[in-house]
Amino acid sequence: MIPELQPWMLLIVAMIVFTIGLLGVIVRKNLLIMLMSIELMLNSVNLCFVAFSRIHHLVEGDLTALFVMTVAAAESAVGLGLVIALFRTLRTVDSDQIQMLRD
Amino acid sequence: MNLGFFAFCVFSTIAIFGALSVVLKKNPVSSAFALVMVFFAFAGLYALIGAHLIAALQILVYTGAIMVLFVFVIMLLNQDTPVNDLKESSGLFKGVAALALAGLAMILIHTVLRAQDIVAVGQLTEEKITAQGGNLRVVSEALFSDHVFHFELTSFLLLGAIVSTVALAKRKTALGGES
């Protein structure tokens, strides 16, 4: 017996991917991989919005997912610009090496 | 044979294993390509659930624009592969982190299980969306009528992002002026 595809099943995938993304931000030291993990989290939240939009029979979740996509594009552009500016001064993308305020 | 559920299993497996390899791969280029895989799997999931506009935009915006940006920056930085990238931490910190993770997982599982018996508040069921001309038409009409102000506001956001990125990436010359 194979069940029908229900919208709440997507929430499980979104939950797992969000947790993996959070783990990536906490565990990794490479700033690029941290940004990629943030993208993973934003994507899983998008999936949640669309799934809840289907569950509630509304269309607003789809629209919110669109706006989240815009914010994600802006965020990754600014974040990567920051990474490049940082690499120019410190010659590294290791987040543990950013300690100019300490010394 | 239920094709929808089968495709859901395939796409979600790709998404979860791709996400794991984004986090665990040592080389940033491998992580970037795993991230492309995750984005495609998510686009498949959106298409399965009937959000066709979001599925198309996912491929265009994420795999088309954001991933190109990531790959360009990886190419620009041209760094050697770091050997030990994972953060090291004390035993107490690991214990606290495990507790926090367990709490987060319990909250998330509780929410997911509660989502099964949500009472729908809207009227747009699957059949009604099809009768009104499909997901793309319904979403576009809502976007350009009720939510047009928010849509216009995103242009300011993108303009701000462009200006700040240019200001960040501008190289200072030795004389103190900007070139």
Side-chain angles (χ1 to χ4, degrees), chain B residues 17-100:
Chain B
F17 280 97
L20 274 177
S21 52
V22 169
V23 172
L24 297 177
K25 290 265 188 211
K26 291 224 183 301
N27 195 343
V29 181
S30 318
S31 291
F33 281 98
L35 195 60
V36 173
M37 222 162 63
V38 177
F39 287 158
F40 270 113
F42 268 67
L45 288 176
Y46 291 138
L48 269 181
I49 207 174
H52 304 129
L53 177 66
I54 304 288
L57 283 177
Q58 168 87 6
I59 290 179
L60 282 177
V61 174
Y62 274 107
T63 56
I66 294 181
M67 280 323 295
V68 169
L69 217 60
F70 268 106
V71 174
F72 266 8
V73 169
I74 291 170
M75 185 191 75
L76 214 64
L77 298 188
N78 192 22
Q79 46 168 347
D80 298 328
T81 314
V83 184
N84 185 16
D85 191 37
L86 299 180
K87 285 177 186 162
E88 57 276 331
S89 52
S90 66
L92 176 70
F93 182 76
K94 276 179 188 159
V96 173
L99 264 180

Side-chain angles (χ1 to χ4, degrees), chain A residues 10 28 43 54 56-57 66, chain B residues 23 25 39 57-58 85 122:
Chain A
L10 296 185
R28 295 298 297 257
N43 257 289
R54 285 294 166 287
H56 281 291
H57 297 314
L66 268 177
Chain B
V23 172
K25 290 265 188 211
F39 287 158
L57 283 177
Q58 168 87 6
D85 191 37

Side-chain angles (χ1 to χ4, degrees), chain A residues 10-11 14-15 43-53 55, chain B residues 46:
Chain A
L10 296 185
L11 295 177
M15 178 183 97
N43 257 289
S44 63
V45 170
N46 258 351
L47 192 60
C48 267
F49 272 126
V50 174
F52 274 117
S53 162
I55 291 171
Chain B
Y46 291 138

Side-chain angles (χ1 to χ4, degrees), chain A residues 80-91:
Chain A
L80 289 171
L82 277 172
V83 169
I84 287 178
L86 196 76
F87 185 78
R88 215 177 264 153
T89 48
L90 292 182
R91 292 280 137 202

